[in-house]
Amino acid sequence: AMMAVTLPYILFGVDVEQVLDYKAEDPAFERARDRALRAGLELAPTDRWLSCAAGARPDHLFSNVIRITGVDGTDAAQLTYAELEARKRIRQHIAFWRGYIPGCENAYVGHTSEQMGIRDTRRIVGERRLETSDCLECTKPQDTILRCMGPIDNVDRGQGSEHIWLDDESDWYGIPYGCMVPAGLDNLLVAGRCFSSSERAQSGSRGQGLLMGMGHAAGVAATKVAERGIRAREVDVPELQAELTAQGMDLGLDGLG
């Protein structure tokens, strides 16, 4: 089960305030899509129209709407298919934006990503594994090296996508140090969306900002491995946590269980 792939793009020439005013009334553009579909416009049912926002400049609208399912991000042929499908959908989207969303009457594509956005492929088997239940139950292990509050997001299981928020959106779960340490392999730490986890757990903890924090933790741990001539799995985690805290990372140490 892999997450859908996407190709973000930016619309220029948009009255963004007018779009956002309309979006407040029709958040997922469902009413607008119904009108467009009745008029014969082709729009993919998997695209997620909630995923658009004001761009970096006054007349820019950022779109992360495209969701192409069933694509293996390690397969060149499937990536080529996804690229072609995404470009086709962008043309459909332009007709939708211009014809059905107030403020987009003069919109045009000013920029697209240079390649497909792939949300997950391979993951390591680590000394520890972040499980789906850890996320939903907001588990806070003693060896936490990163806090996360991401929801279960768009894992395609053949029956459409799912989006499950935490019961308490202010709560969080911890990612254990061992999720970065490959089982049975020395001298390697793995930071990024390929860390040891279930596919559902990964879907909620793969955000770029979060994984930068994981890279921070891996970097500090790697210095200890190099300085002391130890294995990655032998790093003193409380000492690592203390150093990360001193460097400005808030690990919620008082709440660890």
Side-chain angles (χ1 to χ4, degrees), residues 8-12 55-56 59-63 108-113:
Y9 60 89
I10 300 175
L11 293 176
F12 289 14
D59 67 336
H60 289 188
L61 186 73
F62 173 75
S63 166
Y108 61 96
V109 176
H111 175 74
T112 69
S113 294

Side-chain angles (χ1 to χ4, degrees), residues 118-240:
I118 309 299
R119 291 182 168 85
D120 69 321
T121 51
R122 298 182 177 94
R123 298 183 301 280
I124 67 166
V125 176
E127 295 282 319
R128 293 284 299 275
R129 186 174 189 258
L130 185 70
E131 302 291 352
T132 306
S133 58
D134 295 326
C135 304
L136 297 178
E137 296 169 11
C138 290
T139 301
K140 301 172 178 62
Q142 286 287 348
D143 56 346
T144 291
I145 47 85
L146 198 63
R147 296 201 295 167
C148 183
M149 56 192 303
I152 306 299
D153 179 25
N154 289 304
V155 178
D156 181 15
R157 294 179 165 269
Q159 300 175 342
S161 297
E162 61 185 348
H163 197 82
I164 306 172
W165 291 96
L166 303 183
D167 288 338
D168 180 354
E169 292 181 23
S170 66
D171 206 349
W172 55 275
Y173 52 90
I175 298 180
Y177 173 72
C179 289
M180 300 191 299
V181 182
L185 185 62
D186 293 334
N187 299 324
L188 182 65
L189 285 161
V190 175
R193 66 185 183 202
C194 50
F195 75 94
S196 181
S197 66
S198 74
E199 79 275 4
R200 279 175 158 173
Q202 190 266 3
S203 77
S205 50
R206 62 184 167 77
Q208 293 179 15
L210 181 83
L211 296 179
M212 289 170 67
M214 188 179 290
H216 179 187
V220 174
T223 62
K224 297 186 179 302
V225 170
E227 290 170 355
R228 300 177 184 179
I230 59 176
R231 296 180 177 89
R233 64 181 52 80
E234 296 170 343
V235 167
D236 184 307
V237 176
E239 183 183 359
L240 172 62

